[in-house]
Amino acid sequence: MPIGYKPTVFVSSTCFDLGQVRADIRELIQTFGLDPALSEYNSFPVSPDTDTISNCLRNVREKADIFVLIIGGRYGFQTDSGKSITNLEYLEAKRKGIPIYVFVNSNIMNILPIWKNNPTADFSSHVENQKVLEFVENISHFKSNWVYKFDSAQDIKSVLLQQIPYLFMDSLDARKKLKDNDIVLSTAQYPPKSARLVLEKPDGWEHLLFAELCKSYLDRLDHKKFDLEYGVSFSDVVSIENTSDVFAWITIKNNEMLKLIRITTTLVNDAAAKSFGEPGQEGNYKKIQHVCQRLLEVYEQIINWKLSFTTLEVHEDFEPILDVLSGFADDPLFKIEEFVNRVHTEIPAALHSIASNGEHVTLDFTFVLESPDVDSFERELKNIHNLYC
């Protein structure tokens, strides 16, 4: 963090029915010496080029360090997804991994069990929209959420007055661990959940860290996946007229893909296992991070490799072989995504099963890539040779 930076507390709720509550919470946040972020105040950062929803989500994503969610009787404006802005802000905070404090009006918490048993009954005297009850029920299922009841702003203030100092103590403890163990965790390389795994080292932390980092890095490349889907590339157009130069370009691209495939299999099948450490020995968090970063860098390179075909201009006779060659990227891209999503889902589930039931769990994440369609490639290559040689 830069010198002089004060943590930001983002307060999320509907504004019309909870306006005074929000004002009171804002005052408390300022008392702590923290920066409050509430959308109805002029201090709330706004980009004039984006809509209200995008602005709110961007502020959660870029500014929020602590998230306070307050749920009253209104659900608020529903977006195209069917979720309210408050709901989307909450999901953004969950993805970011920051501390979340949830406060639900006591009347809603009291009728929640009744609603669950009678979901088709009329609860309009308690909530504007039954989606409020669905939202509260969904939030209550997250084990990491501690939900507090409130009747007034004072109830919320009392909880925050108790809980914020605990959060401060956690930060001091984390700072001490970093200092004592000479650990340096940049936020770019270690998102919050990953940094916590390195500091706290729960059972199986090495595999959890690997799964969390891989998924985090993959999610950062959504824009590249969209580029590939729409064929968007800002690289310069390459125009090749000489036949021998086209053959040379094809050879170079083929060798590049073979190299990327070799790197991928080495990272997953060799380097990852070594970074976890020998049985009974602790893994190396720096090596785990390195493997994850390199794996997703290779993934990005494969996307760029395939996009390079969209900026190539050659005679139409070469288009069939270029189509076959560009398809060499499809299996590695699919397999890397599949692998990352599997480890992110199956490793935590396996460790939970071991902790809960003492069961022995075996997971096989051996990485096998299909051989490129060499037969089609050689057939098209032979056709080209017959035309030009």
Side-chain angles (χ1 to χ4, degrees), residues 1 7 28 184 212 267 319 377:
M1 293 182 182
L28 174 66
V184 178
E212 190 63 35
L267 286 170
E319 290 179 2
F377 178 73

Side-chain angles (χ1 to χ4, degrees), residues 253-355:
K253 300 306 287 186
N254 184 47
N255 291 337
E256 286 177 353
M257 177 52 62
L258 293 176
K259 178 183 178 181
L260 290 170
I261 289 174
R262 285 197 300 271
I263 293 174
T264 302
T265 53
T266 298
L267 286 170
V268 175
N269 296 336
D270 185 27
K274 290 180 179 177
S275 70
F276 297 148
E278 296 295 329
Q281 295 182 355
E282 189 172 82
N284 186 311
Y285 75 92
K286 292 182 180 179
K287 289 184 178 180
I288 294 172
Q289 188 278 328
H290 176 80
V291 172
C292 296
Q293 180 177 328
R294 287 291 186 249
L295 176 61
L296 274 304
E297 284 176 347
V298 171
Y299 176 85
E300 184 176 11
Q301 287 293 319
I302 294 175
I303 290 178
N304 290 335
W305 182 90
K306 183 154 186 170
L307 284 173
S308 68
F309 287 79
T310 66
T311 58
L312 180 66
E313 292 184 349
V314 295
H315 191 277
E316 62 181 12
D317 290 342
F318 288 93
E319 290 179 2
I321 191 172
L322 292 176
D323 286 341
V324 173
L325 181 58
S326 68
F328 285 9
D330 296 341
D331 186 62
L333 290 174
F334 172 78
K335 290 290 178 60
I336 292 174
E337 277 196 51
E338 181 187 49
F339 172 79
V340 170
N341 289 321
R342 274 193 64 203
V343 298
H344 190 253
T345 301
E346 295 181 23
I347 287 177
L351 290 171
H352 177 73
S353 178
I354 292 171

Side-chain angles (χ1 to χ4, degrees), residues 61-79:
R61 186 165 53 251
E62 297 180 4
K63 289 185 64 65
D65 300 296
I66 301 170
F67 189 84
V68 175
L69 174 62
I70 307 172
I71 302 176
R74 289 175 57 87
Y75 188 63
F77 174 76
Q78 292 186 51
T79 64

Side-chain angles (χ1 to χ4, degrees), residues 36 114 133 206 211 266 283 335 370:
I114 303 173
L133 299 169
E206 296 95 338
T266 298
K335 290 290 178 60
E370 299 294 333

